[in-house]
Amino acid sequence: MQKNNYIDILKYAMNMERKAGEFYKMYMDKVEEDSNKEIFKQLAEMEDEHYEILEKQLKKVEQDGLFAEFDIKSIGKAEDIFKTNERDIKSIDFSKAVLDLPILRMAYGMESDFADFYSKAAEKAEDPNAKKLLETLADWEIVHRDSFNEEIKLATEHSWFSNSFAPF
């Protein structure tokens, strides 16, 4: 893969991360359930961190055509900020969580697209540092996507049960 391809990938990824941060900041005040507000706040911060990582790499690639070594430990890990299994399910207001479903579905779609983009870019990357960075970002986005899927499932099923409805 050539330098210009890496530059294009990084610029596109930076735009995606910026837009994701804006999305989470905008919808942080629109979601109803408090735990979703906190999730969106943390995701907005995380997307800003992703942007900064990509921006540093872009400068390095523009300068000498190579990616800097990427140390995942230096920036922490993509912790599952949802922690569905760890939080007290009884404290979730599912009547509000159900109202958040359209927004959660949009976030799921966005994270899914990001995971696909980073995975495909990593497959084509020849630079080992680029491959490692892109695979790490893909892994993080997969965690976010899967967590949104669990949130959506949890709110949907609770809504069914509270309304004495079970389609399956």
Side-chain angles (χ1 to χ4, degrees), residues 61-83:
V61 171
E62 286 177 332
Q63 180 182 349
D64 60 20
L66 300 172
F67 277 71
E69 189 171 334
F70 178 68
D71 180 17
I72 192 169
K73 294 175 188 165
S74 68
I75 57 164
K77 33 184 173 166
E79 12 181 333
D80 181 0
I81 60 174
F82 295 80
K83 298 180 182 170

Side-chain angles (χ1 to χ4, degrees), residues 88-102:
D88 184 3
I89 299 295
K90 293 176 186 171
S91 69
I92 296 174
D93 183 342
F94 283 102
S95 63
K96 289 181 178 180
V98 168
L99 297 174
D100 293 342
L101 280 172

Side-chain angles (χ1 to χ4, degrees), residues 123-160:
E123 286 174 13
K124 294 181 180 183
E126 295 164 2
D127 179 313
N129 291 329
K131 184 175 273 310
K132 182 178 178 183
L133 171 66
L134 294 167
E135 287 173 344
T136 299
L137 288 166
D139 290 345
W140 290 349
E141 303 300 351
I142 288 167
V143 168
H144 297 166
R145 178 199 65 200
D146 292 350
S147 296
F148 272 119
N149 190 46
E150 287 301 312
E151 291 293 310
I152 291 165
K153 182 179 174 186
L154 187 65
T156 301
E157 288 177 356
H158 189 275
S159 172
W160 291 343

Side-chain angles (χ1 to χ4, degrees), residues 1 5-6 8-10 12-13 16 54 67 113-127 130-135 137-138:
M1 187 177 292
N5 291 352
Y6 286 128
D8 290 343
I9 287 169
L10 289 167
Y12 182 80
M16 286 187 344
L54 292 163
F67 277 71
D113 290 347
F114 289 3
D116 290 345
F117 171 77
Y118 286 128
S119 294
K120 288 176 183 171
E123 286 174 13
K124 294 181 180 183
E126 295 164 2
D127 179 313
K131 184 175 273 310
K132 182 178 178 183
L133 171 66
L134 294 167
E135 287 173 344
L137 288 166

